[in-house]
Amino acid sequence: MTTDDPVLAAIPAYDAPSGGRLTPAMVDAYRAAGVLVLRSFVSTNACDELRDRALELVDAFDPSTVRSVFSTTDQEQLDDDYFIESGDKIRFFLEHDAFDEHGELRQSKEHCLNKMGHAMHDLDPVFDAFSRTPELAEVANRIGFDDPKILQSMYIFKPPNIGGEVVCHQDSTYIYTEPESCVGFWFALEDATLENGCMQFIPGAHKLPLKKRNYRKPDGKLVTETLDDTPWPEDRKIAAEVEAGTLVVFDGRAPHLSAANRSPKSRHAYTLHVIDAACHYPAENWLQRSEGMPLRGFV
Ligand code: FE2
């Protein structure tokens, strides 16, 4: 399918406005496309500092603790526990192809990680400072949040050679509120290109229904229920090739994907997912925080 509608033919992209003060045109473009690219939102220096801090945390991580989880016969449930309990912790998730046939890491530890999550923004001072700025608060305000809360943070490694493909999905599938309020704030910490598996979006497709919902059953198992099996219009996908320092804001309904990274370059990124405190957060969502760690906003 092709379209003559200019709204659907490109991802709206602007130089980041001073103070995060999105213009009405930027807000309109975000509403129409479901995604907005803001170039040079953070300095490359700030990107480097966050990457350095992430690598310090990686240094302290012992992958053998995760390998033992992966090697158990009851792999799925144990994997789920390690994941499900990570909402208020800092945990590490390996790439699917991290281990070779002898059970050894194929590359350096850093280059075998898929992601780190999901509460660096509340547990680590460097991540906290990066995640909570007046500029981000202003962007959230201008796109319509009344009482934004940062639900989760993820550091995406997308390592060279083995960085896995992420198939087309909507983040509201996993971060569901009633009414839906999830918005992703995605920061490129390194240049992202088609070669190293950049994000890709289908502009305007955030107006399609929520196609899947992930939730925890009473027995603790996570399931993903299909609500609408209509295929995504992936022929309209557009690559968000962006430089380090770019912020990509996208609606929780906005379908997005990324190809595998088979290149020799990593593609580090940092994502915040934000919900509105006024919306109901279901108890069956996978991410549940302990009572001692209430959600906080951008300040
Ligand atoms: Fe996503």
Side-chain angles (χ1 to χ4, degrees), residues 169 171 250 256 273:
H169 67 281
D171 288 349
F250 59 101
H256 57 284
H273 282 99

Side-chain angles (χ1 to χ4, degrees), residues 93-163:
F93 300 90
L94 291 159
E95 281 291 347
H96 182 262
D97 294 330
F99 296 108
D100 65 17
E101 62 275 22
H102 306 296
E104 301 297 328
L105 288 180
R106 287 182 193 279
Q107 312 185 127
S108 67
K109 190 165 55 171
E110 165 206 347
H111 285 163
C112 286
L113 284 166
N114 173 284
K115 68 178 173 182
M116 172 170 65
H118 289 90
M120 289 84 71
H121 62 294
D122 284 334
L123 295 173
D124 183 86
V126 178
F127 277 85
D128 180 15
F130 188 98
S131 307
R132 294 186 167 94
T133 64
E135 291 81 9
L136 277 173
E138 188 61 28
V139 171
N141 176 43
R142 297 212 174 200
I143 62 172
F145 275 102
D146 290 325
D147 190 3
K149 299 290 185 192
I150 306 175
L151 178 70
Q152 69 170 29
S153 49
M154 294 194 296
Y155 191 98
I156 311 291
F157 293 88
K158 200 82 170 182
N161 307 312
I162 63 167

